[in-house]
């Protein structure tokens, strides 16, 4: 399984995106409703009743139709707020997708490192078994002591225990990755070998900061939230102004038909929308400070992630493939030298442990590099 395949599966199957996708759908539906020019339905009224007079009663009929009309910019403010809410919900969804991708990359690196540690532990167990066999052969030939054989047997048991631990760590790492990407519990991915790019481009902090401030979805969401709160504030201020109701009435009085136009206006004597105006003003202040805090956090995260990435890259280059091959060659030569009686068992043990530790350090450096790369892509808002 490649990293790209794992990320694609997570974006397709992960349940953590479902609620945010629903938020986007709700915001879009709300925006459709707020885009109507008339937010209230027309009102139809009717009146009917007898006119009682001595000797001549009659039935009187009256009909009226009115519609509230917003003439002080309320529709445009409402549409602006709705569009900003849609943008904010979409940005939150993108931000969660970026976070999910970073989580998958980190879990993928951890699972791949765990698989490599299993192979390392298996090689260590094989080497320990070979060393034990060689020690027994040398003891039978009178060229080794019982102490060497006992030490080799202890090392063989230790290698077997470490192998079992590596198997358990590998299973735990696979479970974590499977939860993120929605793998079937019976499936076991096979990982490609990770390699450090030969010519990785130099990273510039100013360029990364500019990209983060431009592309990070959480910053885009904070900006959209600010725009939405500002639009809501404008709407609350304009809703304090009276909205007339225009209409027409029809009535019949005796033998006369009467048609009249009507105009009704609310008088803002008591309710001037004070609560909504105060609430939206507080929301604007909160959104402004939130945007400033998110931008500060983004700058700090980019600086930290870049340092971590550069450190991990330098560490990984130290444990290059040439160094690993040289260590493996030394180990093979040392094993043959012990069999030939050219070195004692303690020297073989030291060389073997150094070789295994170096391979383990290489695995950890590779995992740290992959994790640092995932975090750097997350803090600059990069998606695959």
């Amino acid at each position: 399984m490649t990293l790209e395949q794992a990320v694609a599966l997570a974006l397709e199957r992960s349940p953590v995106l479902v609620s945010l996708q629903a938020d986007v759908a709700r915001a879009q539906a709300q925006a459709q409703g707020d885009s109507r020019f008339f937010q209230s339905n027309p009102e139809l009224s009717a009146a009917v009743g007898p006119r009682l007079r001595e000797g001549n009663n009659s039935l009187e009929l009256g009909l009226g139709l009115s519609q509230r009309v917003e003439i002080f910019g309320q529709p445009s403010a409402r549409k602006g707020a709705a569009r900003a809410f849609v943008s904010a919900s979409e940005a939150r969804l993108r931000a969660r997708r970026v976070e999910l991708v970073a989580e998958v990359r980190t879990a993928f690196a951890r699972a791949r490192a765990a698989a490599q540690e299993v192979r390392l532990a298996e090689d260590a167990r094989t080497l320990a078994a070979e060393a034990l066999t060689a020690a027994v052969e040398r003891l039978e030939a009178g060229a080794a002591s019982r102490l060497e054989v006992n030490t080799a047997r202890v090392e063989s048991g230790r290698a077997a225990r470490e192998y079992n631990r590596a198997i358990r760590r590998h299973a735990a790492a696979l479970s974590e990755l499977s939860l993120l990407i929605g793998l079937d519990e019976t499936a076991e991915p096979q990982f490609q070998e990770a390699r450090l790019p030969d010519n990785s481009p130099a990273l510039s902090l100013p360029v990364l900061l500019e990209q983060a401030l431009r592309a990070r979805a959480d910053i885009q969401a904070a900006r959209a939230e600010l725009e939405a709160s500002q639009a809501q504030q404008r709407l609350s201020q304009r809703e304090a102004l009276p909205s007339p109701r225009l209409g027409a009435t029809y009535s019949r009085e005796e033998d006369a038909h009467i048609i009249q136009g009507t105009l009704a206006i609310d008088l803002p004597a008591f309710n001037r929308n004070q609560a909504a105006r105060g609430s939206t003003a507080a929301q604007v202040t909160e959104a402004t400070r939130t945007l400033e805090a998110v931008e500060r956090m983004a700058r700090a995260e980019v600086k930290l992630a870049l340092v971590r990435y550069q450190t991990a890259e330098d560490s990984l280059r130290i444990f290059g493939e040439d160094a690993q091959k040289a260590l493996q060659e030394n180990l093979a030569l040392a094993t043959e030298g012990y069999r030939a009686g050219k070195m004692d068992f303690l020297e073989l043990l030291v060389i073997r442990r150094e070789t295994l530790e170096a391979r383990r350090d290489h695995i950890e450096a590779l995992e740290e590099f992959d994790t640092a790369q995932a975090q750097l892509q997350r803090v600059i808002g990069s998606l695959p």
Side-chain angles (χ1 to χ4, degrees):
M1 174 180 291
T2 65
L3 176 59
E4 291 73 16
Q5 291 172 334
V7 169
L9 284 175
L11 294 177
E12 176 186 355
R13 301 178 179 181
S14 177
V16 299
L17 303 177
V18 174
S19 61
L20 292 176
Q21 291 170 343
D23 289 342
V24 172
R26 284 191 291 267
Q28 292 172 341
Q30 182 66 36
Q32 290 179 352
D34 291 341
S35 65
R36 298 191 309 267
F37 182 79
F38 294 113
Q39 288 296 306
S40 61
N41 292 322
E43 183 178 333
L44 178 65
S45 61
V48 62
R51 173 175 286 194
L52 304 177
R53 292 177 297 183
E54 292 184 3
N56 186 15
N57 295 336
S58 63
L59 182 65
E60 301 298 333
L61 174 66
L63 295 175
L65 180 66
S66 63
Q67 173 66 54
R68 183 173 182 266
V69 181
E70 297 174 322
I71 60 174
F72 293 107
Q74 294 95 329
S76 61
R78 188 178 294 109
K79 291 178 184 178
R83 287 193 298 267
F85 279 128
V86 171
S87 298
S89 60
E90 291 174 343
R92 285 193 294 269
L93 176 59
R94 290 195 301 272
R96 189 63 189 92
R97 287 168 61 90
V98 171
E99 292 177 1
L100 178 61
V101 169
E103 292 172 3
V104 172
R105 289 178 182 273
T106 302
F108 187 90
R110 188 176 298 116
R112 182 163 56 187
Q116 292 173 336
E117 288 179 355
V118 169
R119 291 195 293 271
L120 174 62
E122 187 173 5
D123 291 344
R125 188 177 61 171
T126 301
L127 290 173
E130 292 177 354
L132 176 59
T133 301
V136 171
E137 292 175 354
R138 283 169 53 85
L139 176 64
E140 293 175 352
S145 65
R146 176 64 62 179
L147 177 62
E148 290 185 10
V149 174
N150 291 339
T151 303
R153 186 169 286 111
V154 170
E155 285 298 312
S156 179
R158 181 177 296 172
R161 183 186 62 182
E162 186 58 34
Y163 176 76
N164 292 333
R165 288 180 177 177
I167 290 293
R168 290 194 295 269
R169 288 194 295 266
H170 183 222
L174 281 181
S175 297
E176 179 184 359
L177 179 62
S178 298
L179 286 175
L180 286 174
I181 65 179
L183 275 183
D184 184 82
E185 59 182 5
T186 60
E188 182 173 341
Q190 302 295 324
F191 301 101
Q192 291 184 343
E193 291 293 335
R195 296 179 182 274
L196 183 66
D198 294 332
N199 296 314
S200 56
L203 300 177
S204 170
L205 178 59
V207 173
L208 294 177
L209 287 174
E210 180 184 357
Q211 179 178 351
L213 294 177
R214 182 184 67 253
R216 275 182 61 143
D218 56 346
I219 295 179
Q220 294 175 354
R223 289 171 181 164
E225 292 284 0
L226 177 58
E227 293 176 4
S229 61
Q230 290 171 340
Q232 285 286 355
Q233 185 181 37
R234 292 193 297 270
L235 178 61
S236 66
Q237 293 170 346
R238 293 173 184 178
E239 284 183 339
L241 301 175
S243 296
R245 297 186 68 87
L246 303 178
T249 62
Y250 164 81
S251 62
R252 189 184 68 184
E253 185 174 346
E254 296 182 350
D255 293 333
H257 298 275
I258 303 172
I259 299 176
Q260 295 177 309
T262 63
L263 172 64
I265 299 178
D266 294 333
L267 299 179
F270 306 108
N271 183 4
R272 299 180 182 178
N273 210 25
Q274 296 94 330
R277 288 158 58 189
S279 176
T280 54
Q283 290 175 1
V284 170
T285 301
E286 179 186 9
T288 301
R289 293 179 178 176
T290 299
L291 176 58
E292 294 172 352
V294 172
E295 289 179 344
R296 285 196 303 270
M297 181 180 67
R299 293 188 182 95
E301 287 182 342
V302 170
K303 294 178 182 178
L304 179 61
L306 179 59
V307 171
R308 181 182 179 185
Y309 174 83
Q310 293 172 336
T311 302
E313 184 180 22
D314 293 340
S315 299
L316 185 56
R317 292 193 184 281
I318 294 175
F319 299 101
E321 293 184 4
D322 293 339
Q324 297 297 314
K325 292 179 180 178
L327 288 171
Q328 285 297 110
E329 184 179 356
N330 288 344
L331 180 60
L333 292 175
T335 302
E336 291 299 323
Y338 175 71
R339 287 183 178 274
K342 297 180 180 179
M343 65 173 57
D344 59 29
F345 184 76
L346 291 179
E347 291 176 323
L348 173 64
L349 186 60
V350 169
I351 294 175
R352 188 173 71 86
R353 286 184 178 180
E354 288 180 351
T355 302
L356 295 176
E357 284 300 320
R359 288 181 58 186
R360 186 173 290 108
D361 289 341
H362 180 260
I363 293 173
E364 292 177 355
L366 186 58
E367 179 185 357
E368 176 62 22
F369 175 77
D370 290 339
T371 302
Q373 188 177 46
Q375 292 305 312
L376 182 61
Q377 292 177 344
R378 180 188 68 83
V379 299
I380 64 175
S382 176
L383 269 176

